[in-house]
Amino acid sequence: MKHSVFEERLIKQIKEKLPQAAPGVMVQVYQNGRKVCDVAVGDTFAYYDLASLTKVIFTTQALMKAFSEGRWNIKTTVEDILPWFPHRTMLLMQLMNHTSGLTWWVPFYKDLDMNQSIDDRWLKLQAMITAMKLEKHDHAVYSDVGFLLLGMALVSIYQKPLFDIWSDMKEQFYPRLSLEFHPQNQPKYPARYYAPTEKCPWRGRVMQGEVHDENAWALGGISSHAGLFGSIDDVGWFGLFLRGQLQGISRTVIKQKNGATFCHQVFAHRQG
């Protein structure tokens, strides 16, 4: 494959740093909607655990879709959607922009019984989140817990399981992409096609084709904060898709003004 001068320089820089960083890396760069760089160095794979990109590819997009459909607005509280939630003034948007006061992460998986059904595990998770106290901050604090709660909100809004919400959204938004959850932590393809993430002491094996995040794994591989797998082409295409929404050329239900509304809710880096 012939590379541009820019790509050759980038490959050289990556090779110099790669041994101390990772087995391999893939890079794609787009400029004005056109791909200007596509390189792979070292050991690379067809599919990767997309981890917290699940939050933006699935959960945020699903909530933007529900917003555009008039199912909630910027003044909607979490309690409006989830009547059991005790913090009555917390806004749904505060969960999305990480200003809710919920802590950043909790090892819920340690208290979930793998012998119970996945529905029962979610109910246990609900009880644990209900009992949590809020932390006072004057800035945004990234929170996995908040996005777990947003998953429960989506289930309530659409009255469907998360996987069904994803399946409907994928058909509408991402029909040609290889983005997938792995229900019951069973990969769609042989494990060798997926980049390994770690040798997990809790699960006692190298995680390859199974979601790395312990909480997502304990919930059956499908969650609102992690769990998606896909290729670098999928991620690049999503970037173009998001660009199209913000430019007003998206053909989905999400309109430009709604994309702008969500962008205006984001806190500046110095506040997060």
Side-chain angles (χ1 to χ4, degrees):
M1 179 179 179
K2 187 176 180 180
H3 293 110
S4 67
V5 173
F6 170 73
E7 288 174 323
E8 291 288 356
R9 289 175 178 172
L10 181 61
I11 290 170
K12 182 176 182 295
Q13 293 177 16
I14 292 173
K15 285 182 175 179
E16 291 173 354
K17 303 293 185 180
L18 191 60
Q20 308 98 287
V25 65
M26 303 178 80
V27 180
Q28 287 187 359
V29 179
Y30 288 81
Q31 184 178 43
N32 297 323
R34 183 174 65 89
K35 188 188 293 184
V36 296
C37 175
D38 188 359
V39 301
V41 182
D43 294 330
T44 58
F45 294 81
Y47 306 107
Y48 289 81
D49 181 337
L50 298 183
S52 282
L53 284 179
T54 303
K55 295 180 175 71
V56 292
I57 295 174
F58 171 40
T59 309
T60 300
Q61 287 291 315
L63 284 160
M64 289 175 70
K65 177 176 179 289
F67 184 94
S68 297
E69 293 167 344
R71 297 174 185 266
W72 69 284
N73 57 60
I74 60 173
K75 294 183 179 180
T76 298
T77 65
V78 179
E79 187 196 34
D80 289 335
I81 307 298
L82 302 171
W84 49 264
F85 191 65
H87 304 290
R88 296 185 175 183
T89 61
M90 185 187 295
L91 300 177
L92 207 62
M93 191 64 80
Q94 288 180 299
L95 295 177
M96 297 192 71
N97 65 17
H98 301 280
T99 59
S100 68
L102 287 167
T103 192
W104 76 279
W105 181 79
V106 175
F108 293 120
Y109 68 95
K110 293 182 178 180
D111 294 309
L112 296 177
D113 184 350
M114 297 300 105
N115 293 315
Q116 289 187 323
S117 69
I118 291 174
D119 287 344
D120 285 341
R121 290 178 227 168
W122 275 98
L123 287 174
K124 173 66 174 179
L125 177 64
Q126 174 183 317
M128 288 190 283
I129 292 178
T130 299
M132 293 177 65
K133 294 182 179 180
L134 302 183
E135 301 172 355
K136 292 184 178 180
H137 300 285
D138 59 358
H139 56 277
V141 175
Y142 185 88
S143 175
D144 261 15
V145 178
F147 264 74
L148 281 163
L149 195 55
L150 285 171
M152 297 177 191
L154 279 172
V155 170
S156 179
I157 288 170
Y158 283 108
Q159 293 295 295
K160 293 180 178 180
L162 271 181
F163 186 69
D164 290 350
I165 297 170
W166 162 252
S167 297
D168 292 345
M169 200 179 81
K170 184 184 177 185
E171 183 178 348
Q172 182 179 354
F173 287 14
Y174 316 124
R176 298 180 181 180
L177 302 191
S178 62
L179 294 166
E180 296 286 355
F181 282 104
H182 292 165
Q184 302 292 342
N185 298 304
Q186 298 297 311
K188 184 175 182 179
Y189 303 111
R192 66 180 180 273
Y193 291 110
Y194 299 91
T197 53
E198 72 160 350
K199 185 174 183 180
C200 176
W202 177 56
R203 287 162 286 196
R205 58 182 177 273
V206 172
M207 305 311 295
Q208 192 168 10
E210 298 176 72
V211 63
H212 172 270
D213 184 277
E214 294 95 338
N215 288 334
W217 191 93
L219 294 168
I222 301 167
S223 185
S224 45
H225 74 293
L228 275 180
F229 286 79
S231 69
I232 189 171
D233 290 325
D234 293 333
V235 176
W237 189 94
F238 173 75
L240 295 176
F241 175 75
L242 192 60
R243 176 177 180 266
Q245 288 179 343
L246 297 176
Q247 290 185 332
I249 57 176
S250 170
R251 296 182 179 180
T252 68
V253 67
I254 300 173
K255 304 303 180 185
Q256 184 180 27
K257 65 178 182 179
N258 293 331
T261 295
F262 277 73
C263 285
H264 292 155
Q265 298 298 319
V266 175
F267 279 60
H269 178 68
R270 66 182 181 275
Q271 294 177 280

